[in-house]
């Protein structure tokens, strides 16, 4: 057995389709109804760029009377408009890839909206979808046309972490806001880290081989100035741009890669020049913008609440008197009757997240740089609980920020063992008044590192092109945990976890009754469906192996056994949350991946699970298409799919989060933010006004 990653999952096509899907096996259940929505990042694979860097392709599968109709569309919206206009304008307006982000020196950050979807109710009572992204604002998506229409909140209402002096600044938000269908409230998180903390690992890397330390009390701009100057002097001292002495890099290469001097790159100066330019770019991107005190000298975390289409209410979160600092990301939120919850998720936002090392850089040096600036995720998850009743108190003190005024509200932090990216919560409290959480613990799994240029397999072998840009695999079996939490006492009262070394390796996205569905009841969570990406040896890199080799409570014999067997195939699991066991599962072929599960409710029955499946060459030869949509009967996974659907022109790549709506109607656009609202005072800047008039303004 040899488990491989299918190349079809990394192709990232963007073909727009509209037509009936062909039934490849089985039949579409007559009782299926409503529409499943999903999203996939697009763009030509780049071995130096994570696959999450790419515009969205949205899809909708409508089920009606035993047939399935597929529609796909490139999302368009402001981001696509800006990128096309900037490309026509040329440098320095153009957007360039920087790791997981795409940035323009003149315009700021590209918002991809390519990660997750959330059904919401508009103020007029209509239903809409939000398309979301961790490094940007949520955007309204028209469910009918699959076009991005407008952001939630104007840019001036969100606080940035970088690019404050650009019209479209870099905003860190959450890919999973939460909404209350009954009240129409929408909640999101807007957070940022101190800039010196964000750039700290870059400084640490340079300190490895330059005796440089920023002076005490230096601003981020001054510290980055020092860094650029020290790099410039080091190049000069080396005797010229093409003659860097071997001793200059010998210590860092030997220390970080374990190679002796004979393996050292002979011309690392291009990398040094890039590093100097990158530090200068950071200084420029950290410059204070037109809003006073926006650049964070200290961390901030806001909870935003919308009631209708007006501006948000802003609450600055405080834990035991200190500002809450999100150390990694605020990827997931959940809402209960009494609490707003978010997790400091195991998807770290570090300086290497906006790093794209030039492809011509020698691979030994790339590995040295990534080893130095990378760090393992925290092995615990910090959940923050905000009591909803506190948000309406009259005695909340004001934060007093000149540009982002907020009320200070307490947040209770509860720490749970095992890193978490995705979790869910029961709407009602337990009989004892506790909060019931269900969390996927992605132990020793680092979804923020990606498999990139310069990486090698855990055993030193080169990597196939099919895995470059993808998520790495895990170093340990993952678990699903059921936790009863007392937020007031900031403690976990009771926990149970389910684990399987063969079936729960690199657990991914979740589905189940009441999860990302609209118009269905909010039951107490009873079953959780989750897929395992499996253990794909080609996705276990030397970097991940090194970062997580000392992971606490890891069972290394599981990894050794599975690697000796050629890996573990992908699987689809159902976890019974009452008994906390894997009640059933379906194992994929060795070259297949199953992703993007979505539960579809049934009026009088258990419902269905809709998933996307990618196949490699061996499975294609056995009769599978490279890309298919599979339908499982909920509660009967072991029987296999009741239907396999396909389309001859389907070319999407790895798909992400999904949603289900019972009916589809066009988005009502009244009250939404316009491009002119978003640009605001930036239209007073002559260069921006000229660009807007020539490239962006609608002549109609």
């Amino acid at each position: 057995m040899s488990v491989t990653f299918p190349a079809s999952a990394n192709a990232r096509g963007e073909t727009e389709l509209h037509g009936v899907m062909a039934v490849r096996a089985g039949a579409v259940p007559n009782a299926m109804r409503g529409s499943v929505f999903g999203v996939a990042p697009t763009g030509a694979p780049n071995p130096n760029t994570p696959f999450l860097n790419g515009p969205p392709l949205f899809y909708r599968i409508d089920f009606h009377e035993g047939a399935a109709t597929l529609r796909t569309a490139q999302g368009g919206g402001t981001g696509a408009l800006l990128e096309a206009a900037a490309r026509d304008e040329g440098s320095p307006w153009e957007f360039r890839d920087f790791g997981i982000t795409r940035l323009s020196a003149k315009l700021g950050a590209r918002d991809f909206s390519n990660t997750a979807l959330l059904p919401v109710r508009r103020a007029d009572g209509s239903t809409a979808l939000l398309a979301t992204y961790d490094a940007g604002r949520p955007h309204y998506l028209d469910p009918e046309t699959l076009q991005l229409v407008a952001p939630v909140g104007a840019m001036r209402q969100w606080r940035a972490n970088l690019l404050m002096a650009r019209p479209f600044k870099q905003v860190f938000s959450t890919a999973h806001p939460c909404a209350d269908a009954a009240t129409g409230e929408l909640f999101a998180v807007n957070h940022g880290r101190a800039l010196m903390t964000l750039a700290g690992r870059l400084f640490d890397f340079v300190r490895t081989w330059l005796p440089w330390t920023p002076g005490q009390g230096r601003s981020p701009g001054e510290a980055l100035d020092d860094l650029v100057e020290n790099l410039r002097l080091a190049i000069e001292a080396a005797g010229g741009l093409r003659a860097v002495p071997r001793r200059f890099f010998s210590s860092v290469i030997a220390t970080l890669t374990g190679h002796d001097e004979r393996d050292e790159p002979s011309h690392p100066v291009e990398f040094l020049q890039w590093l100097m330019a990158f530090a200068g770019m950071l200084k420029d991107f950290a410059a204070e913008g037109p809003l006073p005190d926006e650049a964070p000298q200290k961390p901030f975390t806001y909870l935003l609440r919308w009631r209708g289409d007006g501006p948000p209410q802003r609450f600055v979160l405080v834990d035991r008197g200190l500002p809450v600092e999100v150390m990694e990301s605020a990827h997931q939120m959940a809402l209960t009757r009494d609490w707003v919850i978010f997790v400091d998720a195991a998807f770290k936002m570090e300086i290497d997240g906006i790093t794209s090392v030039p492809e011509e850089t020698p691979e030994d040096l790339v590995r040295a740089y990534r080893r130095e600036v990378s760090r393992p995720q925290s092995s615990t998850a910090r959940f923050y609980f905000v009591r909803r009743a506190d948000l309406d108190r009259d005695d909340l003190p004001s934060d007093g920020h000149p540009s982002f005024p907020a009320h200070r509200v307490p947040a209770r932090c509860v720490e749970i063992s095992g890193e978490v990216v995705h979790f869910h919560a029961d709407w009602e409290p337990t009989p004892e008044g506790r909060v019931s959480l269900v969390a996927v613990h992605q132990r020793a799994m680092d979804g923020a590192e990606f498999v990139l240029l310069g990486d090698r397999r855990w055993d030193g072998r080169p990597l196939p092109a099919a895995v470059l840009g993808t998520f790495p695999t895990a170093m340990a079996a993952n678990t699903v945990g059921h936790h009863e939490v007392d937020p007031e006492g900031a403690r976990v009262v009771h926990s149970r976890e389910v684990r399987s070394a063969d079936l729960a390796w690199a657990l991914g996205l979740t589905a189940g009754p009441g999860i990302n569905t609209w118009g269905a009841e909010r039951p107490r969570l009873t079953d959780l469906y989750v897929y395992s990406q499996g253990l794909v040896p080609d996705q276990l890199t030397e970097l991940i192996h090194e970062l997580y080799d000392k992971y606490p409570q890891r069972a290394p014999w599981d990894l050794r056994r599975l690697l000796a067997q050629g890996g573990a195939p992908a699987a689809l699991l159902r976890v019974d949350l009452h008994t906390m066991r894997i009640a059933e599962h379906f194992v994929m072929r060795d070259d297949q991946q199953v992703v993007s599960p979505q539960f579809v409710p049934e009026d009088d029955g258990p419902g269905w699970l809709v998933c996307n499946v990618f196949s490699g060459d061996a499975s294609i030869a056995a009769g599978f298409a490279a890309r298919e949509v599979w339908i499982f009967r909920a509660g009967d996974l072991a029987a296999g799919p009741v239907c396999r659907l396909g389309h001859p022109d389907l070319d999407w790549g790895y798909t992400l989060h999904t949603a289900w709506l019972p009916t589809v109607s066009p988005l009502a656009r009244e009250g939404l933010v316009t491009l002119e609202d978003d640009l605001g005072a930036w239209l007073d800047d002559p260069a921006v006004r000229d660009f807007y008039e020539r490239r962006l303004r609608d002549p109609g």
Side-chain angles (χ1 to χ4, degrees):
M1 179 183 75
S2 179
V3 177
T4 58
F5 188 82
S8 56
N10 202 15
R12 293 185 253 172
E14 54 189 25
T15 301
E16 297 189 330
L17 304 171
H18 187 199
V20 176
M21 300 192 78
V23 175
R24 298 184 59 85
V28 178
N30 281 321
M32 285 192 77
R33 63 184 179 86
S35 300
V36 169
F37 295 81
V39 60
T42 66
N46 182 330
N48 203 25
T49 301
F51 86 98
L52 290 179
N53 180 327
L57 180 79
F58 296 104
Y59 67 86
R60 187 181 92 212
I61 305 174
D62 301 322
F63 295 101
H64 181 66
E65 295 183 350
T69 303
L70 173 69
R71 178 191 292 270
T72 69
Q74 299 175 47
T78 300
L81 177 67
L82 287 172
E83 186 159 6
R87 188 184 307 116
D88 291 340
E89 192 75 359
S91 182
W93 294 84
E94 289 179 281
F95 286 84
R96 294 176 50 213
D97 290 337
F98 288 91
I100 202 170
T101 62
R102 194 172 294 177
L103 309 176
S104 161
K106 288 287 190 181
L107 292 172
R110 169 74 151 93
D111 197 327
F112 285 128
S113 306
N114 67 7
T115 305
L117 300 170
L118 175 71
V120 295
R121 193 190 73 173
R122 294 286 312 284
D124 62 2
S126 63
T127 302
L129 286 173
L130 296 185
T132 65
Y133 181 55
D134 290 282
R137 298 168 290 171
H139 278 64
Y140 284 105
L141 178 72
D142 189 325
E144 179 63 43
T145 64
L146 299 181
Q147 292 296 298
L148 292 166
V149 176
V152 177
M155 183 58 78
R156 64 184 176 276
Q157 295 168 346
W158 294 78
R159 190 172 175 186
N161 209 150
L162 281 174
L163 297 155
M164 281 70 64
R166 302 295 188 278
F168 294 91
K169 56 200 182 185
Q170 182 77 77
V171 169
F172 288 164
S173 181
T174 173
H176 297 277
C178 51
D180 188 326
T183 65
E185 293 173 293
L186 172 66
F187 298 91
V189 172
N190 176 201
H191 65 95
R193 301 181 67 186
L195 287 173
M196 285 296 287
T197 302
L198 193 65
R201 301 195 72 81
L202 178 65
F203 298 152
D204 290 342
F205 175 68
V206 176
R207 285 192 194 99
T208 305
W209 35 270
L210 285 180
W212 173 81
T213 304
Q216 294 296 320
R218 305 283 277 171
S219 71
E222 292 169 335
L224 287 164
D225 265 342
D226 290 346
L227 175 59
V228 171
E229 180 65 11
N230 273 267
L231 288 168
R232 186 186 66 79
L233 292 173
I235 294 174
E236 290 181 357
L241 292 180
R242 301 297 303 178
V244 178
R246 296 177 63 82
R247 69 178 185 277
F248 187 76
F249 275 83
S250 61
S251 62
V252 65
I253 296 298
T255 299
L256 299 179
T257 69
H259 299 128
D260 65 30
E261 292 187 60
R262 289 171 297 178
D263 295 322
E264 183 186 330
S266 58
H267 295 293
V269 69
E270 291 86 357
F271 173 77
L272 190 63
Q273 289 175 289
W274 167 82
L275 190 63
M276 186 168 66
F278 182 62
M281 181 200 77
L282 283 179
K283 176 184 181 301
D284 185 40
F285 284 177
E288 185 76 75
L291 297 177
D293 295 342
E294 182 165 12
Q297 301 292 333
K298 296 180 180 179
F300 65 87
T301 303
Y302 297 120
L303 176 65
L304 305 181
R305 178 175 67 175
W306 282 266
R307 286 174 161 171
D309 291 326
Q313 295 174 284
R314 187 180 295 107
F315 304 91
V316 62
L317 302 184
V318 180
D319 178 22
R320 289 164 293 186
L322 297 175
V324 168
E325 179 176 12
V326 174
M327 299 301 296
E328 294 180 335
S329 72
H331 181 77
Q332 176 83 59
M333 299 181 70
L335 192 65
T336 77
R337 188 191 70 185
D338 301 318
W339 300 93
V340 183
I341 312 165
F342 75 92
V343 65
D344 193 340
F347 193 92
K348 61 197 182 196
M349 307 285 268
E350 295 285 345
I351 199 67
D352 52 320
I354 57 170
T355 298
S356 287
V357 180
E359 290 190 37
E360 62 272 16
T361 305
E363 291 191 359
D364 278 353
L365 194 51
V366 174
R367 284 192 289 273
Y369 175 75
R370 291 188 66 200
R371 279 190 173 99
E372 181 66 9
V373 300
S374 298
R375 65 168 178 83
Q377 310 264 29
S378 170
S379 61
T380 61
R382 292 169 300 281
F383 289 85
Y384 289 94
F385 294 77
V386 179
R387 184 174 285 282
R388 295 181 67 175
D390 285 347
L391 303 180
D392 294 316
R393 284 170 41 190
D394 295 329
D395 60 343
L396 292 175
S398 173
D399 181 60
H401 194 285
S403 301
F404 300 93
H407 291 292
R408 293 165 61 91
V409 69
R412 289 85 167 168
C413 180
V414 179
E415 197 161 353
I416 299 178
S417 174
E419 52 266 55
V420 170
V421 177
H422 297 109
F423 76 98
H424 306 282
D426 282 349
W427 177 255
E428 294 289 341
T430 69
E432 298 79 16
R434 301 165 186 156
V435 175
S436 179
L437 300 180
V438 176
V440 175
H441 293 283
Q442 294 179 314
R443 297 178 182 273
M445 179 179 171
D446 198 330
E449 283 297 339
F450 299 97
V451 183
L452 297 176
L453 182 72
D455 276 326
R456 293 188 298 212
R457 265 180 45 134
W458 60 278
D459 54 6
R461 293 164 55 187
L463 295 170
V467 302
L468 295 179
T470 67
F471 293 123
T473 192
M475 280 279 288
N478 292 177
T479 63
V480 173
H482 198 179
H483 310 284
E484 286 192 13
V485 176
D486 170 18
E488 294 288 6
R491 65 191 182 102
V492 179
V493 178
H494 181 64
S495 289
R496 293 181 297 162
E497 290 191 33
V498 59
R499 172 187 182 277
S500 169
D502 295 296
L503 295 174
W505 207 276
L507 292 181
L509 312 185
T510 60
I515 296 175
N516 257 16
T517 59
W518 190 261
E521 294 182 4
R522 277 190 201 264
R524 189 177 294 277
L525 295 173
T526 57
D527 295 283
L528 187 76
Y529 294 87
V530 61
Y531 68 86
S532 166
Q533 185 172 298
L535 175 56
V536 182
D538 286 338
Q539 290 178 302
L540 179 55
T541 65
E542 286 182 327
L543 176 61
I544 292 297
H545 196 281
E546 182 176 316
L547 287 176
Y548 294 92
D549 189 45
K550 305 299 184 184
Y551 182 86
Q553 302 177 354
R554 186 170 76 85
W557 50 86
D558 286 334
L559 181 63
R560 289 196 295 266
R561 174 177 61 83
L562 291 175
L563 287 173
Q565 294 173 357
L572 188 62
L573 319 175
R574 177 173 69 88
V575 177
D576 184 315
L577 298 177
H578 177 68
T579 62
M580 283 307 290
R581 64 184 183 91
I582 298 175
E584 56 176 339
H585 65 275
F586 182 85
V587 177
M588 309 299 294
R589 294 169 62 93
D590 291 349
D591 64 344
Q592 290 182 325
Q593 284 288 318
V594 55
V595 298
S596 304
Q598 175 59 49
F599 180 80
V600 175
E602 184 180 9
D603 288 337
D604 188 21
W608 296 271
L609 204 67
V610 177
C611 308
N612 297 333
V613 173
F614 297 91
S615 292
D617 290 342
S619 290
I620 292 172
F624 295 89
R627 299 165 182 84
E628 295 183 352
V629 175
W630 289 12
I631 303 171
F632 291 85
R633 185 63 165 166
D636 197 11
L637 298 184
V642 299
C643 183
R644 290 172 34 219
L645 296 166
H647 192 288
D649 298 320
L650 189 60
D651 66 352
W652 63 38
Y654 199 100
T655 55
L656 296 172
H657 288 281
T658 58
W660 176 84
L661 293 178
T663 59
V664 174
S665 57
L667 175 70
R669 305 194 177 200
E670 293 77 12
L672 298 182
V673 173
T674 66
L675 178 57
E676 291 74 16
D677 290 337
D678 227 11
L679 286 168
W682 279 102
L683 289 175
D684 296 332
D685 181 297
V688 175
R689 168 61 75 172
D690 177 66
F691 178 76
Y692 167 77
E693 295 288 351
R694 289 186 297 105
R695 301 288 188 187
L696 302 176
R697 186 166 189 167
D698 185 350

